[in-house]
Structures are given as C-alpha cells and as structure tokens.
Amino acid sequence: MTNRLAPLAVLTIVISAMSAHAQAPAADAILVNGKIITVDDASSIVQAMAIRDGKVLAVGSNEDIRKRADGRTTVVDLGGRTVVPGLMDSHIHALRAGLTYSVELSWIGVPSLAKGLDLIREAARTSPPDAWIKIGGGWTELQFPEKRGPTIEELIAAAPNRPVYVQRLYNTAWITPAGVKLMKLMADTEIPGGKAEKDAGSNLTGVFTGVNRTFNFFTAKIPGPSFSDQVAGTQKYFRELNRLGMTAVNDFPGGGMFPQDFRAIQTLWSRGEMTLRVAFHISSNSQHTLEDFKSLTLFTPMNFGDDMLRYRGIGESLTQGIYDGSTVGLPYNPSAKDWEEFCTVAKWAADHGITVHQHAASDRAAAQILDCFEAVNKEIPITSLRWQIAHIENASDETLRRMKALNMGWAVQDRLVYSGQIVTKVLGPEASRRAPPIKTALKMGLHVAAGTDSDQVAPYNPFVSIRWLLDGKVIDGTPMRGPEESPSREEALRMYSLDAAWFTFDEAKRGSLEAGKYADLAVLSEDYMTVPVEKVSELHAVLTMVGGRAVYGEGPFATLEAGGSRRAD
Ligand SMILES: [Zn+2]
C-alpha cells in the first residue's frame, strides 16, 4: 500500500507547487544584472528586482527574479549599474522654485561669472524687450574662478537698457538702472532689513544688501510668471530633479508663497502628471500666524491627500518673531512676547495633532525652541507627532539629546557648501569641524535626514549635498567638517532615502527597496559606493522610477520613459 501511494503523494505535491507558481502574479517589469543597494535593515545589496503594480514584488538574485517574469514582463538589463532608492530631500522649497523655473535664469551650478553673464546676454536676445531678467539666489562667488559677483556695468553691458535683477544667496542684490526705475526705488526709499549702496553723490549704485525680507521686498516688485508658465515650470523642474535621482520632497513654502501659489501643483496632481512625490506644508506670511493656520487647516486636515501630494503639517516657521536668519551668527533677540506667541502656536499644533517643522539656523534659537516644545509636551504629548527642526549647523550635543527625547527629527542641509566660509568666521575653526555634528546625532539614534534647503541658499542637486555630507568641504574645496562627524556612504544614502521618508510618516511605504514598498528608485551613472568622493557630486540618474513608472530615462533607458508613462495611463 505504502509503496503504491508514495508516487501519488509526490505527484500531488508537484501539482500544487505548479499551480501555486502559476497563480503567483508575474512581474510587470524586472530589473536584472544590477548592484541594487536596498537600504534594508541588513543593508543588503542584490542583483535584481521584480516590480508589479508600482511596487517592489521581490528582490534577489538574477535567477530568482527571472522566475517572476512571463511573456508580458518588461526586462530591463541594468548592465551592472548601481541602483539606489529614489532620493528624497527632507527640506526644500521645490514648489516655489518650480513656479519660476521655466521663465527665470539660474546661476545654480554655473562654473564662472563669465558664463553667468553669457546667460544674461542670451536671455536679453531671446526674451521680450521689456521683460525682467532675474536670477533669484542659489549661487555664490566661491563657485566662480573670478571669486566675485557681477558689477552693475557688466550687467548693463550684457543686457543694455533691460531691467536685470541678480540676487546672491540672501545677502546681496544687483539691480540695473532700468530695474531700479521700474521698481521706483529712490535714494530715500526705505529698504526693509537692508541697505542701499550709494555713491559719493548719494545716488543709488544699484547694489543692495540685506536679509530675507529685503529680497522679498524687491522680488515682490517683479511681475511673476503666468499660470501656464507656473505649471510648465513645475513640471520641468520636477523632471530636472528626477534626472538627479529624486523621487520625493518634503517641501516648505517659504517667503513669497501664498495659498494661490499651490494651484500649479494641484493642477499637475489632478492631471496625474506629477513625477515627484510631494509632502507639502502650510506657512503664514502675515503677522497673524495662528489665525492663518486655524483657517487654512480647516480645508486641509493632517495627512489629507494621496501618495503623490499630501499635507504633512506646518512649517518652516510657526511665527515670524523668532526667526533667527538664514545662517548662524546673525543678530537675534526675540522678545518675551515673541516667544509667547510662538509657543501658543506650538501648543495649538500639538492640540490638533499637527506635525511641526521649525527653522533654527543656530543652536541658541534651537535651545529656546526646545524650551517651548518640552513645555508643550508636558501638557500634550508630541512624541508621536514627529516634530522636526531644520538646519542648526552648530547644534550642541545637549540640543540633539533633547530632540531625541521628544522623538524629533533633525533635517540637515548642505547650506554650508555655499556659506561655509562665513560660518567658519563666526564659529572658529574648532567648532567648524563639527558643523554640523551628524555622526554624533546618528550615534544617539536621533532621526537625521538630508537635503538642500534649495532654491535660494543652496543648489538642489542631491549629489552635491551627499558629497558634502561625506567630506564636509565647502564649494571651493576648503575643508570644514571633520571626518569624525561625517557619515559613511551608506549612512548618507539612508539620510537621503529611508530616514527622509520617516519625516513624512512614509518609511513603511518607500525609502528602501523591499517587497511591498513603492518601486521608487534611481539607476545611477556611476557606482555611488566606489566612485572617488569628489566625483560623487557628478553622479546623476540614467533611469528614475516613481511607483514603477519611468519618469526619467537617458541612453539605453530613454525608451522606457515614454513606455512607462503610457502604461501608467
Ligand atoms: Zn529655514
């Protein structure tokens, strides 16, 4: 009996195994022959990945993953290239940058002043004769071999009789005479928070210095792009971020952004044309922030939206009164009333379960902010709300410990790539070696995520930021942060992917390449793990996927971009 039954039993097992295999869904696409850095708990590196319905179906060896394919599966041969989880900037002003991207010039990443002036000459030739030519921050003279900004004469020569506005970071603006006239600026015009340079005859020279509100004052006088330019610019800017391997942003509106400025992104969202996941926040540009927040949030309850566009809280300033400037070392003396106002908003946010992301350039501001957050936490626990502080380039261990105790996040950006020299003067060489103290924070187990704070104080390129995370050098190569406070390549990548996803409560959905998570990924031009550190800033994506759809492809992957969109439609 036993002998006759045995083959039958074996047959049954074989049949059930076969039917199980037949029922297992085949992949929509498989990526094979790669070096896939998964950023899972074990930091696994695998050869291949299967994707189905926009999500990772499985990762593993070429052999295992090929079994997931059938005749309809798209097979992508990675040719040995490195794949990383899609990058996410944890503190960026991308929505603001997108609005003007199709109509404004940019000196971000421009290698010389001569080249910058060429761009202005070109714009003068190709744009309507009355239109402004505007460069809105995002550059420093340190990126130029000339080691200086433009002169007014050079701007006039590049664009004769044209209104030209060139802003450097948040510290200087050059405005040509035609621009000064259009802005109706006089020698006695009051410049908010700033100063006009004057010649011996007390006439305006066209050079202005100041702080954020100074430049908001000027840019408000320059007509903005049309609505269709805003939509086109946003789309173009997102594609540029996709080209750099980015698939998500944690976005903050910043100065000059008002509710109507969200219409461009809402339009792209409603058309299903977003190629970047956006967590957006609400801020107030008025003196009545609590009233603003109360009314604005009536229409956007916490987490409202979907996985492409979602509301994730308020920031990056709860109130204007305690803002400590764009960099460490600026004058800063908020009153007791300013702090009371700030803490009232913080308490209201806690009471309504709202996540707060707060700016603090300096440790001094951060320490006082934490005094308030700790007091709020005693009444209304905030430890599950993932409150965050951005920047703090000179964070003390004590500040980081206090943040850890509140289960907060620290958003670190490569702002010092541009402003390192200024900050080194303020902090001195010793303290600059730990600006910012990334390794100390990681060892404490604090949630630390990376980013850029682009568009006006740093370039948006994530690989420029990652290079800075790794070697701590400012843009002209001057060493600043020491290796003892610098993360490893794997840690830096994690700060730009999985740890960034934690900031928007998305770490279970994306940020690493594991079964069940969104297939948000970037295939890189070179191997991130082994390329010399100074070459990290030159990396870019050759294929970027958001939810398994190719949103950027070049070279052998160019055809996937078009095919990917068709399938998603
Ligand atoms: Zn900020």
Side-chain angles (χ1 to χ4, degrees), residues 25 121 130 148 184 229 342 347 360 381 437 465 530 534 537 540 548:
R121 206 166 287 123
D130 304 333
R148 64 175 179 88
K184 298 192 172 69
D229 284 338
F342 174 81
K347 195 175 160 193
S465 189
T530 58
E534 61 278 8
S537 53
H540 64 274

Side-chain angles (χ1 to χ4, degrees), residues 91 93 316 323 359-360 390-391 415 453:
H91 183 100
H93 305 284
E316 64 172 290
Y323 181 71
H359 165 106
H391 323 316
R415 297 150 32 107
D453 201 10

Side-chain angles (χ1 to χ4, degrees), residues 223-240:
S226 70
F227 181 64
S228 62
D229 284 338
Q230 293 181 2
V231 174
T234 303
Q235 203 158 24
K236 200 171 155 195
Y237 183 53
F238 281 11
R239 189 167 191 280
E240 166 67 1

Side-chain angles (χ1 to χ4, degrees), residues 35 37 82 463 466-467 470 489 524-540:
K35 176 178 175 182
I37 307 173
T82 297
F463 292 106
I466 290 175
R467 197 275 297 154
L470 298 176
R489 292 197 191 206
L524 301 183
S525 52
E526 303 263 3
D527 181 12
Y528 166 67
M529 295 306 280
T530 58
V531 77
V533 68
E534 61 278 8
K535 296 276 179 198
V536 167
S537 53
E538 292 168 24
L539 292 170
H540 64 274

